[in-house]
């Protein structure tokens, strides 16, 4: 896996990816990867074109928490685009006052619209919030599948203060 050296909170992330062109396996064993915000919140990357798997594990799901509104996946080996707006959680002291949320366009189709994460992504465990971090690295997961990425960029989003 790789991750940024810099930490990000609220941000826009553009990512283009291609799952393997030759299909081997099915379910979660087909072009499996992911994007992590703050090392805690995962957006699934998977070859979901004609591939049956559990709903909150398919491409563009908030992994283990929320399936996408629609499967917008292209065929194996084709370039796909994620356009994401991530909003980091907010705390007052140790109290969570705003959960992390995600808006995601997959190949131009809105599949997550300001959807809140119920907590950190943990496979097979109930998600929960811990800590009070509001920034962290962005990572691309290596899940043992030969993935390709290009045109990856991130832009921090700050509160508009009316300044010049």
């Amino acid at each position: 896996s790789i991750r940024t050296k810099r930490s990000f909170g609220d941000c826009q992330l553009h990512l283009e990816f291609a799952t393997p062109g030759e299909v081997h396996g099915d379910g979660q064993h087909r072009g499996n990867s992911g994007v992590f915000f703050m090392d805690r919140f995962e957006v699934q990357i998977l070859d979901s074109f004609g591939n049956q798997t559990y709903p909150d594990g398919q491409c563009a799901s908030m992994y283990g928490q929320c399936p996408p509104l629609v499967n917008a996946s292209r065929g194996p080996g084709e370039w796909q685009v994620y356009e994401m707006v991530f909003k980091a959680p907010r705390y007052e002291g140790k109290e969570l006052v705003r959960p992390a949320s995600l808006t995601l366009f997959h190949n131009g189709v809105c599949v997550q619209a300001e959807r809140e994460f119920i907590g950190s992504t943990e496979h097979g465990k109930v998600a929960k919030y811990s800590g009070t971090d509001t920034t962290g690295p962005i990572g691309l997961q290596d899940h043992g599948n030969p993935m390709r990425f290009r045109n990856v960029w991130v832009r921090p989003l700050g509160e508009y203060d009316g300044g010049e």
Side-chain angles (χ1 to χ4, degrees):
S1 299
I2 59 173
R3 59 187 231 171
T4 61
K5 290 181 181 179
R6 181 175 170 187
S7 289
F8 295 90
D10 297 355
C11 63
Q12 176 184 359
L13 178 65
H14 175 92
L15 172 73
E16 297 175 25
F17 66 91
T19 60
E22 199 171 307
V23 175
H24 297 285
D26 59 3
Q28 294 294 299
H29 303 287
R30 208 168 122 179
N32 192 340
S33 186
V35 178
F36 277 87
F37 291 95
M38 299 177 57
D39 277 340
R40 297 191 321 207
F41 305 101
E42 182 182 3
V43 177
Q44 178 73 321
I45 293 175
L46 189 76
D47 176 0
S48 287
F49 187 82
N51 182 21
Q52 294 294 318
T53 191
Y54 46 95
D56 59 6
Q58 67 181 298
C59 196
S61 67
M62 295 162 68
Y63 187 77
Q65 298 182 31
C66 184
L69 295 169
V70 66
N71 182 347
S73 294
R74 295 183 178 145
E78 292 185 47
W79 285 103
Q80 304 195 53
V81 178
Y82 274 178
E83 196 69 54
M84 298 180 268
V85 173
F86 173 78
K87 291 188 179 176
R90 294 292 191 273
Y91 299 88
E92 286 181 7
K94 292 185 178 189
E95 182 181 340
L96 178 70
V97 294
R98 185 187 85 192
S101 66
L102 178 76
T103 297
L104 168 58
F105 287 82
H106 181 195
N107 296 325
V109 178
C110 184
V111 296
Q112 304 285 356
E114 294 184 40
R115 182 73 66 157
E116 293 180 348
F117 282 91
I118 58 174
S120 299
T121 301
E122 293 194 48
H123 179 69
K125 295 181 181 177
V126 175
K128 63 181 179 180
Y129 282 86
S130 61
T132 57
D133 294 339
T134 57
T135 65
I138 295 172
L140 298 177
Q141 180 186 49
D142 175 12
H143 215 295
N145 297 133
M147 301 293 297
R148 295 180 293 155
F149 296 94
R150 70 179 186 191
N151 297 328
V152 180
W153 54 264
V154 61
R155 180 174 71 104
L157 299 175
E159 299 284 334
Y160 178 70
D161 63 6
E164 296 291 315

